[in-house]
Amino acid sequence: MKAFLMLEDGTRFYGEPFGDVQNTVGEVVFSTSMTGYQEGLTDPSFYGQILVLTYPLIGNVGFNNFDYESHRISVKGLVVKELCEAPSNWATKGSLDEFMKKFNIVGLKGVDTRALTLKIREESVMRGMICLQEPTAEQIEELKSYKIEKPVHRVTVKEKKKYDGQKSGKNIAVMDFGVKENMIRELHKRGHNLTIYPATTAAEEILADNPDGILLSNGPGDPKDNDDIIANIKKLIGKKPIMGICMGHQLLALANGLDSYKLKYGHRGANQPVKDLNTGRVYISSQNHGYAICEPKGSKDIEVTFRNVNDGTVEGLKYKKHKSFSVQFHPEACPGPMDTQFLFDDFERLMEEDTNAQK
């Protein structure tokens, strides 16, 4: 069976369908990660998007029971060059094709992903449709009008969840905008007690639970679509130490009066270099975002701490008037390098300093 990916400008990329064979519409983005496709597919930050993987061979280790970043696939579709039909790995529970069928997601293999990636790099992220046959006028209209509506509200937990750690651990409130499981694991393995809150939880409820610190998680979409959440974060600023990651970084910046903008094709991959402006050291980081924060010009109270080596965009911020900091990249990785996991330790120290200051 033949199928094709049609972009909103009419360009077509042909291949063969796999997984749950069906038509689908989404925002077409690419990731340069060479490994970790299971983690990527289950990352809620990809909600509403058709993911193109630039690495030419995908599926060689199948899927397993422990590399999930959430309990569902968040992408609308997957596009690859070559699909491995016979995976080999000690933990394999099946092929990528079976994995996609399990979650009712369509894939497209045999595509010239290099040409597709160059197209997106040159002309920016576009809407796209995986088609099994010539699209109807109604389907073309659906493609042209497609918009990812309120994705954070769709991927967040519906009610509070608790993860008990050690008695000596800190009590951390995690605002779930699409939180990855490894973010929770990194905090939990340090002995902390976690409470995961729905994205729209009122600031008053979180503060009433008296956490030692607040983590603003990653998540999908345009940060400016979340006015209600930004208003809540404003009420949390200065009350407790805050760490923001990815979407959390952007929402914290907007709550502090900064602005955001859409990148031409985003940063998605496990090989993004970021420079620590305090030490001069460059780290390789894992990233998955399509928006960035504008420079905090004229503000002496906000310090840029990390910068993207490739394009100079802001990758980290420190707020001097309150115990808060944020990064655009993923220190918890998965997939990707773990070079910047020390940032969770920095958050831990920040909470300890705040606790000692209150004694």
Side-chain angles (χ1 to χ4, degrees), residues 31-40 53 55 58 60-61 270 334-336:
S31 171
T32 55
S33 288
M34 297 174 67
T35 62
Y37 56 81
Q38 182 173 337
E39 293 98 318
L53 297 178
Y55 192 71
I58 300 298
N60 53 309
V61 294
C334 285

Side-chain angles (χ1 to χ4, degrees), residues 272-327:
Q272 297 284 332
V274 295
K275 185 175 183 178
D276 184 331
L277 300 185
N278 291 314
T279 66
R281 181 173 178 176
V282 173
Y283 296 93
I284 301 302
S285 69
S286 178
Q287 301 195 18
N288 181 7
H289 60 96
Y291 293 81
I293 293 300
C294 299
E295 294 287 333
K297 295 179 181 178
S299 176
K300 296 181 180 180
D301 300 321
I302 305 176
E303 175 189 349
V304 178
T305 54
F306 289 90
R307 194 172 292 282
N308 190 292
V309 176
N310 289 333
D311 61 13
T313 52
V314 173
E315 291 277 2
L317 292 168
K318 178 181 178 181
Y319 299 90
K320 299 179 181 179
K321 280 194 170 182
H322 44 86
K323 293 182 173 67
S324 302
F325 73 97
S326 63
V327 289

Side-chain angles (χ1 to χ4, degrees), residues 143-345:
L143 169 62
K144 291 182 177 180
S145 61
Y146 178 78
K147 186 178 186 298
I148 304 174
E149 298 282 356
K150 292 285 186 181
V152 167
H153 296 71
R154 295 174 183 269
V155 300
T156 188
V157 292
K158 304 306 179 187
E159 56 186 24
K160 283 198 293 187
K161 293 182 178 180
K162 291 193 175 184
Y163 296 82
D164 293 330
Q166 300 173 3
K167 288 185 178 180
S168 59
K170 298 298 182 185
N171 297 312
I172 301 177
V174 179
M175 292 194 71
D176 176 18
F177 308 132
V179 67
K180 291 168 61 180
E181 286 292 325
N182 205 48
M183 206 171 287
I184 295 171
R185 287 191 289 265
E186 281 300 316
L187 293 170
H188 196 250
K189 79 179 185 182
R190 288 169 168 78
H192 301 310
N193 305 287
L194 310 178
T195 304
I196 317 300
Y197 292 86
T200 55
T201 303
E204 292 80 4
E205 180 181 344
I206 295 173
L207 294 174
D209 289 341
N210 194 30
D212 295 303
I214 300 168
L215 178 77
L216 308 179
S217 85
N218 65 293
D222 184 345
K224 289 181 180 178
D225 287 343
N226 302 286
D227 290 341
D228 53 340
I229 297 172
I230 294 168
N232 256 334
I233 293 174
K234 286 181 180 179
K235 297 176 184 178
L236 296 171
I237 290 173
K239 302 295 195 306
K240 299 289 180 179
I242 298 175
M243 177 182 183
I245 296 175
C246 196
M247 173 62 77
H249 159 80
Q250 297 167 2
L251 293 175
L252 182 60
L254 293 175
N256 276 280
L258 299 181
D259 199 6
S260 65
Y261 63 98
K262 188 169 185 176
L263 295 165
K264 186 176 181 180
Y265 48 82
H267 301 152
R268 297 178 179 88
N271 50 4
Q272 297 284 332
V274 295
K275 185 175 183 178
D276 184 331
L277 300 185
N278 291 314
T279 66
R281 181 173 178 176
V282 173
Y283 296 93
I284 301 302
S285 69
S286 178
Q287 301 195 18
N288 181 7
H289 60 96
Y291 293 81
I293 293 300
C294 299
E295 294 287 333
K297 295 179 181 178
S299 176
K300 296 181 180 180
D301 300 321
I302 305 176
E303 175 189 349
V304 178
T305 54
F306 289 90
R307 194 172 292 282
N308 190 292
V309 176
N310 289 333
D311 61 13
T313 52
V314 173
E315 291 277 2
L317 292 168
K318 178 181 178 181
Y319 299 90
K320 299 179 181 179
K321 280 194 170 182
H322 44 86
K323 293 182 173 67
S324 302
F325 73 97
S326 63
V327 289
Q328 182 63 80
F329 49 91
H330 287 258
E332 83 287 349
C334 285
M338 300 180 179
D339 300 22
T340 57
Q341 286 191 347
F342 66 84
L343 290 167
F344 291 112
D345 300 323

Side-chain angles (χ1 to χ4, degrees), residues 5 24-29 48-52 76-77 79 128-130:
L5 171 69
T24 193
V25 178
E27 183 182 62
V28 184
V29 301
Q49 297 176 326
I50 295 175
L51 176 60
V52 180
K76 294 291 292 293
V79 179
M129 174 185 289
I130 293 178

Side-chain angles (χ1 to χ4, degrees), residues 170 210-214 238-242 322-324 346-359:
K170 298 298 182 185
N210 194 30
D212 295 303
I214 300 168
K239 302 295 195 306
K240 299 289 180 179
I242 298 175
H322 44 86
K323 293 182 173 67
S324 302
D346 290 348
F347 183 42
E348 194 172 49
R349 283 192 289 271
L350 195 63
M351 290 187 287
E352 188 63 32
E353 290 173 7
D354 188 64
T355 299
N356 292 336
Q358 293 179 32
K359 291 181 180 179

